[in-house]
Amino acid sequence: MLEKERTMKYDFIKAKPYTVGEMTKDDKIILSFDRKHHIKLSRLAKVIFDKFDGNSTLEEIQVSLLHENVSISLDELSEFVEKILVPNALIEGTEYKPNKDSLLWFKVNLFETDRLSFIFERLTFFYNIRVVFLMLFLIMCTISYSTYEIISNKVVLHNVNSLKILLIVAIDMIIHEVGHIVAAYKYNVKVGKIGFGIFLFYPVMYVDMSNIWRCKNTKRMVVDIGGTYFQLFLLIVLAIIATITGDMNYHVANVSIFVAVIVNLLPIIKLDGYWLFCDALGLDNLSKNSFDRLKSEHQKHETSSASKSKQYMIFSDLYLVTIIVALIITIGYSINIIMNWKNLQNSINTIYLDFARLDVNRGLFHLNEIFLYILPLIFVIFMSFSSIIKRIIRRIT
Protein backbone atom coordinates (compact mmCIF):
# COMPACT_ATOMS: atom_id res chain seq x y z
CA MET A 1 0.00 0.00 0.00
CA LEU A 2 2.80 2.38 0.96
CA GLU A 3 4.67 1.56 -2.26
CA LYS A 4 1.51 2.27 -4.27
CA GLU A 5 1.09 5.67 -2.54
CA ARG A 6 4.75 6.44 -3.18
CA THR A 7 4.46 5.79 -6.91
CA MET A 8 1.13 7.63 -7.24
CA LYS A 9 2.74 10.71 -5.67
CA TYR A 10 4.97 10.99 -8.72
CA ASP A 11 2.26 10.53 -11.38
CA PHE A 12 1.86 13.26 -14.02
CA ILE A 13 5.19 14.93 -13.24
CA LYS A 14 6.39 17.29 -15.96
CA ALA A 15 10.11 17.82 -16.47
CA LYS A 16 11.43 21.27 -17.30
CA PRO A 17 12.19 22.09 -20.96
CA TYR A 18 15.86 22.18 -21.86
CA THR A 19 18.42 22.66 -24.61
CA VAL A 20 21.07 20.05 -25.32
CA GLY A 21 24.74 20.90 -25.01
CA GLU A 22 27.76 18.86 -26.03
CA MET A 23 28.82 15.38 -24.99
CA THR A 24 31.26 15.19 -22.09
CA LYS A 25 34.46 13.17 -21.87
CA ASP A 26 32.63 10.40 -19.97
CA ASP A 27 29.93 10.20 -22.71
CA LYS A 28 27.26 12.12 -20.84
CA ILE A 29 24.83 14.68 -22.24
CA ILE A 30 24.70 18.23 -20.87
CA LEU A 31 21.17 19.60 -20.48
CA SER A 32 20.74 23.36 -19.96
CA PHE A 33 17.58 24.73 -18.35
CA ASP A 34 18.70 28.34 -18.08
CA ARG A 35 21.94 30.33 -17.98
CA LYS A 36 22.95 29.03 -14.53
CA HIS A 37 21.20 25.66 -14.43
CA HIS A 38 22.94 22.75 -16.14
CA ILE A 39 23.12 19.02 -15.47
CA LYS A 40 24.93 16.02 -16.93
CA LEU A 41 22.93 12.85 -17.60
CA SER A 42 23.81 9.51 -19.14
CA ARG A 43 22.02 8.56 -22.36
CA LEU A 44 19.75 6.16 -20.45
CA ALA A 45 18.94 8.78 -17.79
CA LYS A 46 17.98 11.24 -20.55
CA VAL A 47 15.63 8.68 -22.13
CA ILE A 48 13.93 8.24 -18.75
CA PHE A 49 13.90 12.00 -18.11
CA ASP A 50 12.14 12.68 -21.41
CA LYS A 51 9.25 10.41 -20.42
CA PHE A 52 8.11 12.80 -17.68
CA ASP A 53 5.82 14.84 -19.95
CA GLY A 54 3.14 15.73 -17.37
CA ASN A 55 0.55 13.43 -18.97
CA SER A 56 1.78 10.01 -17.79
CA THR A 57 1.65 8.01 -14.58
CA LEU A 58 4.76 6.13 -13.41
CA GLU A 59 3.18 2.89 -14.59
CA GLU A 60 2.59 4.35 -18.06
CA ILE A 61 6.20 5.60 -18.15
CA GLN A 62 7.36 2.11 -17.16
CA VAL A 63 5.39 0.54 -20.03
CA SER A 64 6.63 3.17 -22.51
CA LEU A 65 10.25 2.50 -21.52
CA LEU A 66 9.70 -1.24 -21.85
CA HIS A 67 8.70 -0.68 -25.50
CA GLU A 68 12.13 0.93 -25.96
CA ASN A 69 13.84 -2.11 -24.37
CA VAL A 70 14.46 -0.28 -21.07
CA SER A 71 13.45 -2.45 -18.14
CA ILE A 72 12.94 -0.48 -14.93
CA SER A 73 10.79 -1.09 -11.84
CA LEU A 74 8.35 1.41 -10.32
CA ASP A 75 10.60 1.66 -7.26
CA GLU A 76 13.55 2.57 -9.48
CA LEU A 77 11.45 5.22 -11.25
CA SER A 78 10.42 6.67 -7.88
CA GLU A 79 14.07 6.70 -6.88
CA PHE A 80 14.92 8.52 -10.12
CA VAL A 81 12.44 11.24 -9.17
CA GLU A 82 13.69 11.46 -5.58
CA LYS A 83 17.42 11.43 -6.34
CA ILE A 84 17.63 13.16 -9.73
CA LEU A 85 14.57 15.29 -10.47
CA VAL A 86 13.74 16.69 -7.02
CA PRO A 87 17.24 17.57 -5.68
CA ASN A 88 18.22 19.22 -8.98
CA ALA A 89 14.93 21.14 -9.37
CA LEU A 90 14.21 19.53 -12.75
CA ILE A 91 10.43 19.40 -12.27
CA GLU A 92 8.42 22.22 -13.82
CA GLY A 93 7.24 24.66 -11.16
CA THR A 94 10.25 24.10 -8.87
CA GLU A 95 12.82 26.83 -8.39
CA TYR A 96 16.51 26.19 -8.92
CA LYS A 97 18.68 27.86 -6.29
CA PRO A 98 22.35 28.22 -7.28
CA ASN A 99 24.96 27.43 -4.66
CA LYS A 100 25.66 30.56 -2.62
CA ASP A 101 28.52 28.99 -0.71
CA SER A 102 30.99 31.54 -2.01
CA LEU A 103 33.55 33.91 -0.51
CA LEU A 104 32.66 36.42 -3.23
CA TRP A 105 30.37 38.12 -0.71
CA PHE A 106 30.14 41.47 -2.50
CA LYS A 107 29.75 41.99 -6.24
CA VAL A 108 28.63 44.71 -8.60
CA ASN A 109 27.84 44.01 -12.26
CA LEU A 110 29.53 46.59 -14.49
CA PHE A 111 28.41 45.80 -18.03
CA GLU A 112 27.49 43.05 -20.46
CA THR A 113 30.38 41.54 -22.42
CA ASP A 114 28.35 41.96 -25.62
CA ARG A 115 29.29 45.66 -25.60
CA LEU A 116 32.92 44.72 -26.26
CA SER A 117 32.23 41.65 -28.40
CA PHE A 118 33.91 43.25 -31.44
CA ILE A 119 37.19 43.37 -29.44
CA PHE A 120 36.92 39.88 -27.97
CA GLU A 121 36.11 38.32 -31.34
CA ARG A 122 39.22 39.88 -32.92
CA LEU A 123 41.42 38.59 -30.09
CA THR A 124 40.44 34.94 -30.68
CA PHE A 125 43.34 34.61 -33.14
CA PHE A 126 45.59 34.25 -30.07
CA TYR A 127 44.15 30.74 -29.71
CA ASN A 128 45.42 29.69 -33.13
CA ILE A 129 47.81 26.82 -32.41
CA ARG A 130 50.78 28.47 -34.17
CA VAL A 131 50.22 31.74 -32.31
CA VAL A 132 49.95 29.83 -29.02
CA PHE A 133 53.36 28.18 -29.51
CA LEU A 134 54.94 31.50 -30.51
CA MET A 135 53.51 33.32 -27.47
CA LEU A 136 54.56 30.55 -25.09
CA PHE A 137 58.09 30.66 -26.51
CA LEU A 138 58.26 34.45 -26.01
CA ILE A 139 56.83 34.13 -22.49
CA MET A 140 59.43 31.53 -21.45
CA CYS A 141 62.22 33.68 -22.90
CA THR A 142 60.86 36.69 -21.03
CA ILE A 143 60.60 35.02 -17.62
CA SER A 144 64.11 33.58 -18.06
CA TYR A 145 65.42 37.05 -18.94
CA SER A 146 63.72 38.70 -15.95
CA THR A 147 64.99 36.01 -13.56
CA TYR A 148 68.53 36.41 -14.91
CA GLU A 149 68.38 40.21 -14.48
CA ILE A 150 67.19 39.91 -10.87
CA ILE A 151 69.92 37.42 -9.96
CA SER A 152 72.75 39.17 -11.84
CA ASN A 153 71.87 42.57 -10.35
CA LYS A 154 71.46 41.06 -6.87
CA VAL A 155 68.10 42.76 -6.34
CA VAL A 156 67.23 43.14 -2.65
CA LEU A 157 63.53 42.68 -2.00
CA HIS A 158 63.48 45.46 0.62
CA ASN A 159 64.38 47.93 -2.12
CA VAL A 160 61.56 46.84 -4.41
CA ASN A 161 58.56 49.16 -4.85
CA SER A 162 55.94 46.66 -3.72
CA LEU A 163 53.03 49.06 -4.27
CA LYS A 164 54.00 49.51 -7.92
CA ILE A 165 54.19 45.73 -8.29
CA LEU A 166 50.78 45.35 -6.62
CA LEU A 167 49.27 47.82 -9.11
CA ILE A 168 50.81 45.89 -12.03
CA VAL A 169 49.45 42.61 -10.65
CA ALA A 170 45.97 44.21 -10.35
CA ILE A 171 46.10 45.21 -14.03
CA ASP A 172 47.25 41.69 -14.85
CA MET A 173 44.17 40.26 -13.14
CA ILE A 174 41.94 42.27 -15.51
CA ILE A 175 43.87 40.83 -18.47
CA HIS A 176 43.36 37.40 -16.89
CA GLU A 177 39.57 37.76 -17.05
CA VAL A 178 39.78 38.98 -20.65
CA GLY A 179 41.61 35.72 -21.47
CA HIS A 180 38.69 33.65 -20.16
CA ILE A 181 36.19 35.74 -22.15
CA VAL A 182 38.14 35.50 -25.42
CA ALA A 183 38.46 31.71 -25.00
CA ALA A 184 34.68 31.48 -24.55
CA TYR A 185 34.14 33.62 -27.67
CA LYS A 186 36.36 31.19 -29.60
CA TYR A 187 33.70 28.53 -29.01
CA ASN A 188 30.73 30.90 -29.49
CA VAL A 189 29.73 30.58 -25.84
CA LYS A 190 27.62 33.46 -24.59
CA VAL A 191 29.38 35.17 -21.67
CA GLY A 192 27.45 37.04 -18.98
CA LYS A 193 28.29 40.24 -17.18
CA ILE A 194 31.69 41.55 -16.17
CA GLY A 195 31.77 42.85 -12.64
CA PHE A 196 33.76 43.96 -9.63
CA GLY A 197 33.62 42.19 -6.29
CA ILE A 198 35.37 41.40 -3.04
CA PHE A 199 36.64 37.85 -2.56
CA LEU A 200 36.86 37.64 1.25
CA PHE A 201 38.64 41.02 1.62
CA TYR A 202 40.52 41.20 -1.69
CA PRO A 203 39.11 43.22 -4.63
CA VAL A 204 38.70 41.13 -7.78
CA MET A 205 37.21 41.25 -11.27
CA TYR A 206 34.84 38.44 -12.21
CA VAL A 207 33.01 37.21 -15.30
CA ASP A 208 29.80 35.18 -15.44
CA MET A 209 30.88 32.04 -17.33
CA SER A 210 27.86 29.88 -16.43
CA ASN A 211 27.18 28.85 -20.03
CA ILE A 212 30.59 27.21 -20.38
CA TRP A 213 29.09 24.10 -18.75
CA ARG A 214 27.29 23.45 -22.04
CA CYS A 215 30.64 22.64 -23.65
CA LYS A 216 32.55 19.38 -23.54
CA ASN A 217 35.60 18.96 -21.32
CA THR A 218 38.27 19.82 -23.90
CA LYS A 219 36.70 23.19 -24.66
CA ARG A 220 36.20 23.95 -20.97
CA MET A 221 39.90 23.22 -20.44
CA VAL A 222 40.84 25.91 -22.97
CA VAL A 223 38.59 28.40 -21.17
CA ASP A 224 40.05 27.32 -17.79
CA ILE A 225 43.61 28.00 -18.94
CA GLY A 226 42.70 31.01 -21.09
CA GLY A 227 43.00 33.52 -18.25
CA THR A 228 46.48 32.32 -17.30
CA TYR A 229 47.58 32.30 -20.93
CA PHE A 230 46.48 35.88 -21.54
CA GLN A 231 47.84 37.33 -18.30
CA LEU A 232 51.31 36.07 -19.18
CA PHE A 233 51.29 38.35 -22.25
CA LEU A 234 51.98 41.25 -19.89
CA LEU A 235 55.38 39.73 -19.07
CA ILE A 236 56.59 40.55 -22.58
CA VAL A 237 55.49 44.18 -22.29
CA LEU A 238 57.02 44.59 -18.82
CA ALA A 239 60.34 43.11 -19.93
CA ILE A 240 60.52 45.65 -22.78
CA ILE A 241 59.73 48.53 -20.37
CA ALA A 242 62.35 47.26 -17.92
CA THR A 243 64.98 47.11 -20.69
CA ILE A 244 64.21 50.66 -21.85
CA THR A 245 63.91 52.29 -18.40
CA GLY A 246 66.35 50.14 -16.43
CA ASP A 247 63.72 49.85 -13.67
CA MET A 248 64.18 46.46 -11.97
CA ASN A 249 60.70 46.64 -10.46
CA TYR A 250 59.26 45.47 -13.77
CA HIS A 251 61.47 42.37 -13.75
CA VAL A 252 60.37 41.64 -10.17
CA ALA A 253 56.74 42.12 -11.27
CA ASN A 254 57.31 39.54 -14.02
CA VAL A 255 58.58 36.96 -11.58
CA SER A 256 55.75 37.80 -9.13
CA ILE A 257 53.13 37.28 -11.85
CA PHE A 258 54.75 34.00 -12.91
CA VAL A 259 54.73 32.72 -9.31
CA ALA A 260 51.08 33.82 -8.94
CA VAL A 261 50.26 31.85 -12.11
CA ILE A 262 51.86 28.70 -10.68
CA VAL A 263 49.88 29.09 -7.44
CA ASN A 264 46.69 29.67 -9.44
CA LEU A 265 47.24 26.41 -11.31
CA LEU A 266 47.62 24.32 -8.15
CA PRO A 267 44.39 22.36 -7.51
CA ILE A 268 44.28 23.29 -3.82
CA ILE A 269 41.37 25.72 -3.78
CA LYS A 270 38.75 26.37 -6.43
CA LEU A 271 40.82 28.52 -8.74
CA ASP A 272 41.67 27.86 -12.40
CA GLY A 273 43.95 24.92 -11.62
CA TYR A 274 41.18 23.10 -9.78
CA TRP A 275 38.72 23.39 -12.68
CA LEU A 276 41.43 22.52 -15.23
CA PHE A 277 42.31 19.46 -13.16
CA CYS A 278 38.66 18.32 -12.98
CA ASP A 279 37.88 18.98 -16.65
CA ALA A 280 41.06 17.30 -17.88
CA LEU A 281 40.27 14.10 -15.99
CA GLY A 282 36.47 14.27 -16.25
CA LEU A 283 36.08 14.35 -12.47
CA ASP A 284 32.89 15.81 -10.96
CA ASN A 285 32.59 17.36 -7.49
CA LEU A 286 36.21 16.48 -6.68
CA SER A 287 36.42 18.86 -3.73
CA LYS A 288 33.12 17.82 -2.13
CA ASN A 289 33.53 14.08 -2.65
CA SER A 290 37.17 14.11 -1.50
CA PHE A 291 36.20 15.57 1.86
CA ASP A 292 33.21 13.23 2.09
CA ARG A 293 35.64 10.33 1.73
CA LEU A 294 37.92 11.88 4.35
CA LYS A 295 34.98 12.03 6.76
CA SER A 296 33.88 8.49 5.73
CA GLU A 297 30.56 9.85 4.53
CA HIS A 298 30.88 8.98 0.85
CA GLN A 299 28.16 6.34 1.09
CA LYS A 300 25.65 9.02 2.02
CA HIS A 301 26.16 10.97 -1.17
CA GLU A 302 25.23 10.23 -4.76
CA THR A 303 28.38 9.99 -6.87
CA SER A 304 28.93 9.69 -10.58
CA SER A 305 30.40 6.64 -12.28
CA ALA A 306 33.64 8.58 -12.72
CA SER A 307 33.88 9.11 -8.98
CA LYS A 308 33.71 5.36 -8.44
CA SER A 309 36.54 4.61 -10.81
CA LYS A 310 40.10 3.90 -9.80
CA GLN A 311 41.19 7.11 -11.54
CA TYR A 312 38.83 9.16 -9.41
CA MET A 313 40.07 7.52 -6.19
CA ILE A 314 43.72 8.22 -7.07
CA PHE A 315 43.25 11.89 -7.89
CA SER A 316 40.81 12.40 -5.05
CA ASP A 317 43.58 11.22 -2.70
CA LEU A 318 46.08 13.46 -4.50
CA TYR A 319 43.77 16.43 -3.98
CA LEU A 320 43.57 15.65 -0.25
CA VAL A 321 47.37 15.39 -0.06
CA THR A 322 47.78 18.87 -1.59
CA ILE A 323 45.35 20.25 0.99
CA ILE A 324 47.27 18.60 3.85
CA VAL A 325 50.62 19.91 2.54
CA ALA A 326 49.14 23.41 2.28
CA LEU A 327 47.91 23.16 5.88
CA ILE A 328 51.34 22.02 7.10
CA ILE A 329 53.00 25.00 5.36
CA THR A 330 50.38 27.31 6.84
CA ILE A 331 50.97 25.97 10.36
CA GLY A 332 54.74 26.36 9.92
CA TYR A 333 54.35 29.94 8.77
CA SER A 334 51.94 30.66 11.65
CA ILE A 335 54.58 29.47 14.12
CA ASN A 336 57.12 31.76 12.44
CA ILE A 337 54.73 34.71 12.82
CA ILE A 338 54.21 33.99 16.52
CA MET A 339 57.98 33.79 17.11
CA ASN A 340 58.52 37.14 15.35
CA TRP A 341 55.34 38.83 16.52
CA LYS A 342 57.10 41.64 18.43
CA ASN A 343 59.15 42.65 15.38
CA LEU A 344 56.04 42.69 13.20
CA GLN A 345 54.15 44.70 15.83
CA ASN A 346 56.97 47.25 16.05
CA SER A 347 57.01 47.62 12.25
CA ILE A 348 53.26 48.19 12.16
CA ASN A 349 53.51 50.79 14.94
CA THR A 350 56.28 52.56 13.01
CA ILE A 351 54.14 52.68 9.88
CA TYR A 352 51.19 54.01 11.90
CA LEU A 353 53.33 56.79 13.40
CA ASP A 354 54.70 57.71 9.95
CA PHE A 355 51.21 58.18 8.52
CA ALA A 356 50.01 59.92 11.71
CA ARG A 357 52.79 62.49 11.16
CA LEU A 358 51.68 62.72 7.50
CA ASP A 359 55.11 61.46 6.47
CA VAL A 360 53.66 59.42 3.59
CA ASN A 361 56.97 58.68 1.83
CA ARG A 362 58.56 57.27 4.97
CA GLY A 363 55.36 55.32 5.76
CA LEU A 364 55.35 53.75 2.31
CA PHE A 365 59.05 52.94 2.67
CA HIS A 366 58.46 51.04 5.93
CA LEU A 367 55.32 49.39 4.53
CA ASN A 368 57.36 48.21 1.57
CA GLU A 369 59.86 46.57 3.95
CA ILE A 370 57.26 44.29 5.51
CA PHE A 371 54.91 43.95 2.55
CA LEU A 372 56.21 40.55 1.44
CA TYR A 373 55.86 39.36 5.03
CA ILE A 374 52.29 40.69 5.33
CA LEU A 375 51.03 38.96 2.16
CA PRO A 376 51.57 35.42 3.51
CA LEU A 377 50.05 36.61 6.81
CA ILE A 378 46.90 37.62 4.92
CA PHE A 379 46.89 34.20 3.26
CA VAL A 380 47.13 32.51 6.67
CA ILE A 381 44.15 34.55 7.89
CA PHE A 382 42.27 33.63 4.73
CA MET A 383 42.89 29.91 5.18
CA SER A 384 42.09 30.02 8.90
CA PHE A 385 38.83 31.92 8.79
CA SER A 386 37.38 31.08 5.35
CA SER A 387 35.10 28.34 6.71
CA ILE A 388 33.81 30.63 9.46
CA ILE A 389 33.07 33.41 6.99
CA LYS A 390 31.35 30.92 4.66
CA ARG A 391 28.94 29.98 7.47
CA ILE A 392 28.20 33.64 8.22
CA ILE A 393 27.55 34.39 4.53
CA ARG A 394 25.31 31.31 4.27
CA ARG A 395 23.18 32.52 7.19
CA ILE A 396 22.93 36.09 5.86
CA THR A 397 21.98 35.02 2.33
Side-chain angles (χ1 to χ4, degrees):
M1 183 69 179
L2 290 175
E3 288 183 7
K4 183 69 174 175
E5 289 180 1
R6 181 192 181 198
T7 56
M8 287 178 64
K9 184 171 66 171
Y10 299 131
D11 288 344
F12 308 111
I13 282 179
K14 187 175 183 180
K16 288 181 177 178
Y18 61 84
T19 57
V20 179
E22 299 180 350
M23 296 295 296
T24 64
K25 186 177 181 180
D26 52 354
D27 202 33
K28 289 185 178 179
I29 304 167
I30 299 173
L31 306 184
S32 299
F33 301 91
D34 60 40
R35 190 168 53 84
K36 291 183 178 291
H37 191 187
H38 312 275
I39 190 170
K40 291 195 296 185
L41 292 178
S42 65
R43 293 176 186 272
L44 177 59
K46 183 181 178 299
V47 170
I48 298 171
F49 179 80
D50 289 339
K51 296 298 180 182
F52 289 88
D53 56 7
N55 300 315
S56 306
T57 65
L58 281 193
E59 289 184 350
E60 289 171 337
I61 291 174
Q62 182 187 33
V63 171
S64 177
L65 287 169
L66 196 58
H67 290 158
E68 297 183 30
N69 297 319
V70 177
S71 178
I72 185 169
S73 69
L74 290 176
D75 276 347
E76 288 171 328
L77 276 174
S78 297
E79 207 168 309
F80 184 85
V81 174
E82 292 167 353
K83 293 189 176 182
I84 303 295
L85 301 188
V86 174
N88 293 291
L90 302 181
I91 301 172
E92 202 162 84
T94 58
E95 182 185 359
Y96 172 70
K97 295 180 179 179
N99 182 19
K100 292 185 178 180
D101 188 17
S102 172
L103 292 178
L104 187 66
W105 58 273
F106 174 80
K107 54 183 180 180
V108 177
N109 293 326
L110 298 179
F111 58 88
E112 293 282 355
T113 54
D114 289 346
R115 293 185 181 182
L116 299 176
S117 60
F118 65 97
I119 297 176
F120 299 139
E121 287 168 357
R122 285 182 173 85
L123 292 175
T124 55
F125 81 91
F126 278 110
Y127 288 97
N128 178 288
I129 191 65
R130 292 182 179 178
V131 176
V132 169
F133 279 114
L134 174 62
M135 295 305 296
L136 290 177
F137 173 74
L138 292 175
I139 288 165
M140 293 311 299
C141 290
T142 299
I143 191 61
S144 300
Y145 170 55
S146 290
T147 304
Y148 171 78
E149 286 294 307
I150 290 172
I151 295 173
S152 61
N153 287 280
K154 298 179 181 178
V155 175
V156 180
L157 291 179
H158 289 311
N159 296 329
V160 170
N161 188 333
S162 53
L163 296 179
K164 179 187 285 188
I165 293 172
L166 186 63
L167 178 61
I168 292 171
V169 171
I171 294 171
D172 194 57
M173 288 297 100
I174 297 174
I175 299 173
H176 177 99
E177 297 305 327
V178 171
H180 287 308
I181 296 170
V182 175
Y185 268 77
K186 172 180 169 62
Y187 298 118
N188 298 313
V189 175
K190 183 174 176 56
V191 181
K193 294 179 179 179
I194 298 176
F196 169 83
I198 298 179
F199 186 79
L200 192 55
F201 39 72
Y202 186 75
V204 295
M205 298 292 293
Y206 68 87
V207 180
D208 183 356
M209 302 290 289
S210 304
N211 282 321
I212 196 61
W213 289 104
R214 298 189 54 159
C215 295
K216 59 184 179 182
N217 299 57
T218 51
K219 291 182 179 180
R220 292 208 305 268
M221 286 169 59
V222 174
V223 177
D224 293 336
I225 200 71
T228 297
Y229 171 56
F230 256 57
Q231 75 177 106
L232 289 173
F233 292 175
L234 187 58
L235 270 60
I236 300 170
V237 177
L238 294 177
I240 294 171
I241 295 173
T243 303
I244 295 172
T245 63
D247 189 342
M248 295 300 298
N249 285 298
Y250 294 105
H251 286 305
V252 175
N254 270 358
V255 175
S256 300
I257 291 170
F258 191 73
V259 171
V261 162
I262 293 173
V263 173
N264 185 47
L265 291 178
L266 294 175
I268 298 174
I269 54 178
K270 289 186 176 180
L271 297 175
D272 292 345
Y274 172 85
W275 299 114
L276 180 65
F277 187 80
C278 291
D279 287 334
L281 299 169
L283 306 178
D284 299 325
N285 298 320
L286 180 61
S287 173
K288 177 180 179 298
N289 289 324
S290 294
F291 284 106
D292 286 345
R293 287 184 57 227
L294 186 64
K295 294 182 291 185
S296 299
E297 292 180 359
H298 59 283
Q299 292 181 342
K300 300 179 184 178
H301 297 272
E302 189 72 14
T303 55
S304 66
S305 59
S307 69
K308 296 174 184 176
S309 69
K310 184 177 180 181
Q311 182 190 53
Y312 183 91
M313 300 292 284
I314 292 171
F315 288 102
S316 177
D317 289 338
L318 179 61
Y319 177 78
L320 288 174
V321 169
T322 61
I323 293 291
I324 293 169
V325 170
L327 286 174
I328 292 172
I329 293 173
T330 301
I331 292 169
Y333 185 76
S334 300
I335 293 171
N336 181 266
I337 289 174
I338 293 170
M339 293 178 64
N340 294 280
W341 182 252
K342 287 186 177 180
N343 292 335
L344 180 60
Q345 196 173 32
N346 290 336
S347 297
I348 292 172
N349 288 335
T350 300
I351 293 168
Y352 171 77
L353 292 173
D354 288 336
F355 283 107
R357 291 194 296 264
L358 301 179
D359 191 347
V360 178
N361 289 333
R362 189 172 178 82
L364 292 175
F365 174 79
H366 286 128
L367 178 62
N368 186 71
E369 287 185 322
I370 66 166
F371 189 77
L372 294 175
Y373 193 77
I374 289 176
L375 278 182
L377 175 62
I378 292 173
F379 179 74
V380 168
I381 295 172
F382 171 82
M383 294 294 290
S384 301
F385 294 99
S386 61
S387 60
I388 297 173
I389 292 172
K390 278 185 180 180
R391 292 193 185 100
I392 294 172
I393 293 169
R394 213 178 290 131
R395 288 179 181 178
I396 293 173
T397 56

